[in-house]
Amino acid sequence: MPQTLMADKAAFDVDKIREDFPILSQTVRGKPLVYLDNAATTQKPRRVIERVRRFDTEEYGTVRRGAYRLCEHATQLFEDSRQKVADFLGAGNKKEIVFTSGTTQAINLVAYSFGRRFVYAGDEIIISNIEHHANTVPWQVLCEERGARLKVIPVNDAGELILEEYEKLLSDRTRLVAVNHVSNALGTVNPVREITEKAHAAGARVLIDGAQSTPHMKVDVREIGCDFYTFSGHKMYAPSGVGGVFGKMELWQEMPPYVTGGDMIMKVTLEKTTYAPPPARFEAGTPAITQVIGLGEAIDYLNGIGMDRISQYEKSLLEYGSRVLGAIDGLRIIGTAHDKAALISFALDVAHPHDVVTLLDQDGIAVRGGHHCAQPTMVRFGVPATSRASMAFYNKPEELDALAESLQKVIKLFS
Ligand code: PLP
């Protein structure tokens, strides 16, 4: 193990952290599980699993609707989670947090609702060339419906947004800029504060897709200055089926509902309905109650470790992994941005990513192979797909050694 990681070990006891995650101690095909698909979804600490179990066993009730004890208690826990999310993201007001099923639904909500209120024929939306489909397709649909135009920020060969080109795309027709904070396909960390400042100077609003940043770094939406910021619980060590979006209250107040029905109304008559104020206006129907409470617990867990410590440790893992994988003949790392999250996309000269990940699985190594829901990114880099090792703070350098060793076997087999 390299010196830096040995030094980090004193500050960050990864073996102890791993004890919090029961799933990590299992073997796969007789080999220790090496879980490196954290950009797809993260594993849950025992504390979250236990909190969810206890809530469902002893405390479960619906939220918002009843006056009895179980309901009042569940509503309190649910709203406590909203406060925890607001604090975690640096939002000033917990009512600026709307829960959804995850980032995909969050972006669809904003595209639909912001779009219907603020986007008209001839207007423009800007995304980048390295977006997840969840931050591409909703804008395409919106533009088609409203007669607006979608413009795309190009990236350089390292996978960094070309900011001079971005500036040229901005105009008084730009209504919204929607980019990710961290690219799930390349790991690029985008300069979201600068992007936001430039968009605001042009009079445009900004949505940041935070699906890949919230689990790995300290986020402060007020410092970034963005108008919307999305997240997914299942990528933040919380249950699946919950996520959400921060939005500035002045915007939420102006926006029409996306999904309609129960819980989002002020008054319904057969002739007319008036809507509840945000966030209820955007949370029709019974929410993912248990999952929201699990998310609150995951945030407590992350805060207990400290997001700055997490990102510092993951940075050292990235450096180590990039060195180890970069030393393999016939392996090309795709995405070499100066500012990068702990994620390594790569292509082997001799084997397709689908074959690579299937063979890695024989060694108990879980790595994703495919286009990562970012087909335009793959086209930009001239590959049909990549293999992607995405790390979390419970990963160890030894696991990256195991990955490198297994990749050498794949190369030998195909050569
Ligand atoms: N945006 C990015 C950058 C992602 O990585 C993902 C998921 O991989 C999404 C959006 C979609 O998130 P979800 O599937 O949780 O809705």
Side-chain angles (χ1 to χ4, degrees):
M1 199 194 299
Q3 281 290 313
T4 48
L5 279 164
M6 283 196 340
D8 287 343
K9 196 166 155 54
F12 194 91
D13 191 346
V14 66
D15 289 318
K16 191 147 189 313
I17 296 265
R18 287 176 73 85
E19 287 171 13
D20 294 340
F21 291 83
I23 203 167
L24 296 180
S25 56
Q26 70 181 267
T27 53
V28 173
R29 304 178 204 289
K31 308 261 176 67
L33 167 67
V34 173
Y35 186 75
L36 290 169
D37 197 16
N38 295 288
T41 201
T42 47
Q43 300 299 346
K44 295 171 198 62
R46 186 176 283 106
R47 189 172 154 175
V48 169
I49 297 166
E50 269 307 302
R51 184 68 194 93
V52 163
R53 191 201 59 76
R54 185 156 52 87
F55 177 70
D56 280 343
T57 313
E58 299 168 19
E59 301 163 283
Y60 184 77
T62 194
V63 290
R64 300 172 187 147
R65 270 171 238 168
Y68 55 88
R69 162 112 187 97
L70 278 177
C71 175
E72 276 176 3
H73 181 63
T75 303
Q76 183 64 51
L77 293 174
F78 187 88
E79 291 304 321
D80 287 350
S81 278
R82 196 190 302 277
Q83 185 66 58
K84 289 177 190 182
V85 171
D87 293 343
F88 189 70
L89 296 180
N93 175 358
K94 77 171 184 138
K95 292 185 176 163
E96 294 181 311
I97 305 298
V98 169
F99 285 121
T100 66
S101 63
T103 292
T104 302
Q105 200 196 12
I107 297 175
N108 274 276
L109 185 169
V110 176
Y112 182 95
S113 179
F114 177 92
R116 258 141 209 82
R117 174 68 183 76
F118 294 109
V119 179
Y120 294 91
D123 287 346
E124 293 173 353
I125 308 277
I126 297 178
I127 60 169
S128 89
N129 199 173
I130 53 169
E131 298 306 318
H132 190 281
H133 296 163
N135 199 30
T136 303
V137 185
W139 306 116
Q140 287 175 333
V141 171
L142 175 70
C143 286
E144 219 164 276
E145 281 177 11
R146 308 291 288 180
R149 243 173 32 116
L150 191 65
K151 294 185 152 186
V152 180
I153 310 167
V155 294
N156 63 21
D157 290 343
E160 295 160 327
L161 303 194
I162 304 174
L163 294 182
E164 305 82 68
E165 296 299 321
Y166 164 54
E167 282 182 57
K168 287 186 211 155
L169 296 179
L170 284 165
S171 77
D172 59 2
R173 288 187 301 273
T174 314
R175 288 293 153 264
L176 186 96
V177 176
V179 294
N180 59 48
H181 197 161
V182 173
S183 149
N184 67 306
L186 307 177
T188 310
V189 178
N190 288 315
V192 287
R193 192 173 160 190
E194 197 181 338
I195 288 169
T196 301
E197 274 170 10
K198 289 186 194 311
H200 283 172
R205 298 291 185 169
V206 177
L207 176 140
I208 305 294
D209 170 357
Q212 295 295 342
S213 47
T214 40
H216 304 292
M217 61 178 68
K218 191 159 178 38
V219 167
D220 187 331
V221 292
R222 276 184 294 183
E223 201 216 309
I224 296 167
C226 58
D227 300 286
F228 299 99
Y229 196 100
T230 68
F231 59 95
S232 290
H234 71 102
K235 296 183 197 288
M236 299 168 65
Y237 314 93
S240 56
V242 64
V245 50
F246 154 83
K248 285 184 178 159
M249 187 47 80
E250 77 212 46
L251 283 168
W252 283 137
Q253 277 167 342
E254 290 274 307
M255 286 162 55
Y258 170 44
V259 176
T260 56
D263 285 325
M264 49 72 68
I265 55 93
M266 182 87 87
K267 187 171 165 63
V268 179
T269 66
L270 289 177
E271 291 73 35
K272 184 169 169 60
T273 294
T274 51
Y275 305 131
R281 186 187 303 164
F282 303 98
E283 292 182 352
T286 304
I289 304 167
T290 305
Q291 291 82 344
V292 165
I293 286 153
L295 172 63
E297 192 70 16
I299 287 175
D300 286 345
Y301 177 77
L302 290 171
N303 285 336
I305 299 172
M307 292 311 293
D308 286 336
R309 289 179 71 220
I310 285 174
S311 54
Q312 200 184 347
Y313 175 73
E314 289 184 1
K315 209 171 186 49
S316 66
L317 271 184
L318 173 69
E319 277 164 19
Y320 185 64
S322 304
R323 235 183 2 257
V324 172
L325 296 195
I328 297 175
D329 259 357
L331 183 149
R332 179 162 66 104
I333 293 179
I334 296 174
T336 50
H338 181 66
D339 197 1
K340 219 182 131 170
L343 180 163
I344 305 174
S345 247
F346 58 91
L348 295 187
D349 291 344
V350 290
H352 188 280
H354 289 153
D355 295 324
V356 174
V357 298
T358 306
L359 287 163
L360 291 176
D361 178 55
Q362 300 298 311
D363 284 337
I365 301 172
V367 161
R368 173 63 65 92
H371 54 62
H372 316 295
C373 298
Q375 284 178 337
T377 312
M378 299 296 114
V379 170
R380 165 62 182 83
F381 285 87
V383 288
T386 70
S387 305
R388 181 188 70 185
S390 52
M391 294 153 243
F393 59 87
Y394 46 58
N395 287 122
K396 299 173 68 164
E398 291 88 332
E399 294 182 301
L400 299 166
D401 291 334
L403 170 64
E405 207 174 297
S406 193
L407 283 169
Q408 295 282 16
K409 287 201 293 190
V410 175
I411 291 171
K412 210 179 243 176
L413 192 69
F414 279 86
S415 298

